[in-house]
Amino acid sequence: MEPAGPGPGSERDQQLATEIASASKNAKRKRNQELNKKVAKFKRGEPMPVKQIADKKLKGRMQHTERLNSEAAVAAAKTDEWLLPAEAGTLEAEGMERTWRFSQADVVNEVDVGASRKVFDLRLGGLGPYNIDFSRSGRYMLIGGKKGHLGLMDWQSGRMFCEVQVKETVRDVKLLHNEQFFAAAQKKYVYIYDKRGLEVHCLKAHTDVRRLEFLPYHFLLGSVGDLGVLRFQDTSTGQIIAQHRTKMGPCDVLRHNPYNAVSLLGHAQGVVTMWTPNLTSPVVKMLAHRGPVLSVAADSTGHRMVTTGADGQVKVWDLRTYQPLHSYFSPSPATWCDISQRGMLAVGWGRRINIWKDALTSKQQSPYMSHNLQGGQLRDFHFCPYEVGLCCKICRKEAVFPSQPAWHLRSLN
């Protein structure tokens, strides 16, 4: 008796096995392509052409080095895939929709419960306008009212650590290494307070200060004010490291480049100067605007700088060539700008704040998000570290803190 041939069931099994093998092969190919894209992010430039090296010993060493670099890039890509399995979320518009038309209420209604719990309103008395600053971890927030109110809080839990009434004008506040100490530029001098709100030091060398800046990797507190003198004080020893006379009059624009800790100053002559503590003259002096410089910000890579001026322009600069890449025009002169850790640019004037996505690499035609304040006048704002959030201060007697995971807007008067 002859054995029976393959039936329709066995043909279906073979077809199913072929489809499974093909799907597995396609999935593997897709994973390899994604891994190659991630590996390219961790590579250290182009590989060296070792075939052109005549010395066999040197050629072997270079081949070994290239192999180690390739293995390190693959390991880093796999680790990045495990530790960061998902990409950052952004707003996406469908059809004729535009992301800048989405209101804050629309975003709040669509986020998860954990993010919606971060939404809260903080209403203060008539002690504003307020200055704000975040700790490096992004969890603690320091507020300082112009009429002498100082407060340190954990904004995520709503816990207030201290509240102090210094009974004199407060022009700026700055957290130091962490939430344990903070500095306040008051009417005449700069004072250091601890976490409990107790005065620890009075820095009488810093007089008539308008802006404070802290260099976390150097433990240096910088200040500039009505006298136009940039001072650096070591917070570990208490000594004045440097005092630089800018010779350009009063200055109230002071930021630092987070990549190399170079201090950026904006002056009324439209000039931006860059200073380091070890040099008595600016390392770079560039004419940025035709009017006073209103704000300066640098990104975390140290390659881009954004300036806003009274001439109504918002300029993006390449710090490697000190040439403008592109510029934007605002209906009114932008009073403040800030750059997030992911490269988003926030520009504000009057009661309006615009968020621009990918605005540092190429010129965008429309903003990513836009928000109009309900009242008051915008003063300045800061992105919260490790949170896609923005905290702004306005000239009113109240403070509102709506927040979303896609884009938080927390406004403070």
Side-chain angles (χ1 to χ4, degrees), residues 290-310:
R290 298 181 179 178
V293 178
L294 301 181
S295 66
V296 178
D299 69 343
S300 58
T301 64
H303 296 164
R304 300 288 185 268
M305 180 181 70
V306 178
T307 61
T308 65

Side-chain angles (χ1 to χ4, degrees), residues 2 107 188 203 209 218 240 261 271 284 293 312 314 317 381 390 397-398:
E2 296 181 359
V107 180
K188 189 174 182 180
L203 309 181
V209 172
H218 303 78
I240 295 292
V271 176
V284 176
V293 178
V314 180
W317 301 81
F381 42 82
L390 186 71
K397 298 181 180 180
E398 298 176 352

Side-chain angles (χ1 to χ4, degrees), residues 98 128 143 164 182 223 234 241 251 281 317 334 345 348 375-377 392 402:
R98 296 294 181 267
I143 60 176
V164 182
F182 61 90
S223 69
D234 192 332
I241 301 301
C251 178
S281 59
W317 301 81
L345 171 64
Q377 191 76 10
C392 63

Side-chain angles (χ1 to χ4, degrees), residues 318-337:
D318 189 341
L319 290 179
R320 294 167 292 186
T321 61
Y322 303 107
Q323 296 295 327
L325 297 177
H326 46 269
S327 61
Y328 302 88
F329 288 90
S330 58
S332 297
T335 57
W336 197 259
C337 66

Side-chain angles (χ1 to χ4, degrees), residues 118 120-124 130-145 149-164 173-176 178-183 194-195 380-385 387 389-394 398-403 408-413:
K118 296 181 180 180
F120 66 95
D121 295 340
L122 177 62
R123 300 184 179 274
L124 305 173
Y130 278 81
N131 294 320
I132 57 175
D133 188 40
F134 287 102
S135 63
R136 295 176 61 197
S137 63
R139 186 174 184 87
Y140 302 96
M141 183 179 66
L142 174 66
I143 60 176
H149 179 217
L150 298 176
L152 178 63
M153 64 178 298
D154 182 346
W155 68 268
Q156 295 184 5
S157 64
R159 177 188 174 189
M160 180 68 72
F161 289 103
C162 70
E163 280 189 283
V164 182
V173 291
K174 181 63 63 174
L175 280 163
L176 301 184
N178 48 36
E179 72 280 0
Q180 299 295 329
F181 296 96
F182 61 90
D194 65 359
K195 187 177 181 180
D380 70 2
F381 42 82
H382 298 277
F383 280 100
C384 180
E387 292 276 349
L390 186 71
C391 183
C392 63
K393 62 179 182 181
I394 56 181
E398 298 176 352
V400 184
F401 283 77
S403 64
H408 308 319
L409 175 66
R410 294 182 291 275
S411 39
L412 177 63
N413 305 311

Side-chain angles (χ1 to χ4, degrees), residues 168-206:
E168 66 177 4
T169 303
V170 175
R171 296 190 176 122
D172 198 9
V173 291
K174 181 63 63 174
L175 280 163
L176 301 184
H177 327 86
N178 48 36
E179 72 280 0
Q180 299 295 329
F181 296 96
F182 61 90
Q186 296 178 200
K187 183 177 181 179
K188 189 174 182 180
Y189 301 123
V190 175
Y191 294 84
I192 305 295
Y193 297 90
D194 65 359
K195 187 177 181 180
R196 299 171 294 174
L198 301 178
E199 180 183 330
V200 179
H201 297 289
C202 175
L203 309 181
K204 293 187 177 181
H206 301 258

Side-chain angles (χ1 to χ4, degrees), residues 203-206 214 219-222 231-236 238-242:
L203 309 181
K204 293 187 177 181
H206 301 258
F214 183 69
F219 282 24
L220 295 181
L221 178 64
R231 295 182 176 89
F232 293 97
Q233 183 158 4
D234 192 332
T235 58
S236 60
Q239 297 179 353
I240 295 292
I241 301 301

